[in-house]
Amino acid sequence: MASVTLKGNSVQLEGNLPSLNSKAPMFSGIAQDLKTMNLSDFTGKVKILVGVPSLDTSVCAMETKKFHERAAKMDGVVTVVISGDLPFAMKRFCTMEGINSPNLVTLSQYRDFSFSKAYGTHIADGGMKGLSARAVFVLDKNDTIRYVELVPEIASEPNYEAAIGEAKKLL
């Protein structure tokens, strides 16, 4: 079981992060149109999986916008942002921020926590219990994990350049 911090306070996570070069665990989430999507819906593409607590926080909002600006224009790459937000809130956020690329998908894990539990980012205690810690995973076209970043401080941003650089190498 890993731990991260939130404003310096320790936060325990459930499960284990998947290892580099291992097969990515399957997960599902609810899209903005309330349809269930699975990892297999992105077959044949390089995938940047972005786990965040909520798009309704400044760091998560900024992170989603930065991935939209930097990665959503890359052909053959899909960025999937997974959070605990309801699909309606995710749709409102994307509309307000002008995020409308088919290469950036938001998925809600409000019905289940298959992403955060399978990827070891599920917050097990404290005020954010049940949400995902901030993490980025890059998967190749065959769903092999090629990059893993668990951001040690939930209130901090990930290393965009490293994640996007890895995705570019996989094209």
Side-chain angles (χ1 to χ4, degrees):
M1 181 184 305
S3 67
V4 293
T5 59
L6 176 60
K7 299 183 180 177
N9 297 310
S10 183
V11 176
Q12 296 301 308
L13 304 180
E14 289 182 27
N16 297 303
L17 293 172
S19 302
L20 281 176
N21 301 315
S22 66
K23 190 73 170 169
M26 289 303 277
F27 70 91
S28 64
I30 309 303
Q32 293 177 15
D33 62 3
L34 300 179
K35 292 182 180 166
T36 300
M37 295 188 79
N38 301 294
L39 179 60
S40 61
D41 289 315
F42 307 106
T43 297
K45 293 188 175 201
V46 171
K47 292 154 279 295
I48 302 173
L49 305 180
V50 181
V52 298
S54 172
L55 296 179
D56 202 25
T57 65
S58 60
V59 177
C60 298
M62 183 176 6
E63 181 178 359
T64 302
K65 289 187 273 189
K66 286 185 178 180
F67 272 113
H68 178 252
E69 292 165 3
R70 298 175 184 184
K73 296 172 181 77
M74 296 169 51
D75 287 333
V77 176
V78 63
T79 301
V80 183
V81 178
I82 305 107
S83 81
D85 297 297
L86 291 174
F88 313 111
M90 297 174 108
K91 184 174 184 175
R92 182 176 57 250
F93 169 81
C94 289
T95 299
M96 289 175 52
E97 297 298 335
I99 296 173
N100 58 4
S101 170
N103 293 336
L104 188 135
V105 176
T106 58
L107 294 180
S108 172
Q109 60 170 15
Y110 82 96
R111 287 188 188 160
D112 68 38
F113 305 106
S114 61
F115 173 78
S116 61
K117 288 192 174 187
Y119 285 77
T121 65
H122 194 77
I123 298 173
D125 60 10
M128 294 179 69
K129 181 178 180 177
L131 297 175
S132 177
R134 190 172 316 284
V136 180
F137 304 88
V138 178
L139 315 181
D140 66 18
K141 294 177 184 180
N142 298 312
D143 295 337
T144 300
I145 298 173
R146 300 299 183 187
Y147 176 86
V148 175
E149 179 185 8
L150 175 63
V151 180
E153 167 58 50
I154 293 174
S156 296
E157 294 177 74
N159 185 337
Y160 301 105
E161 290 74 25
I164 292 168
E166 185 63 32
K168 285 179 181 177
K169 288 194 297 188
L170 299 171
L171 290 174

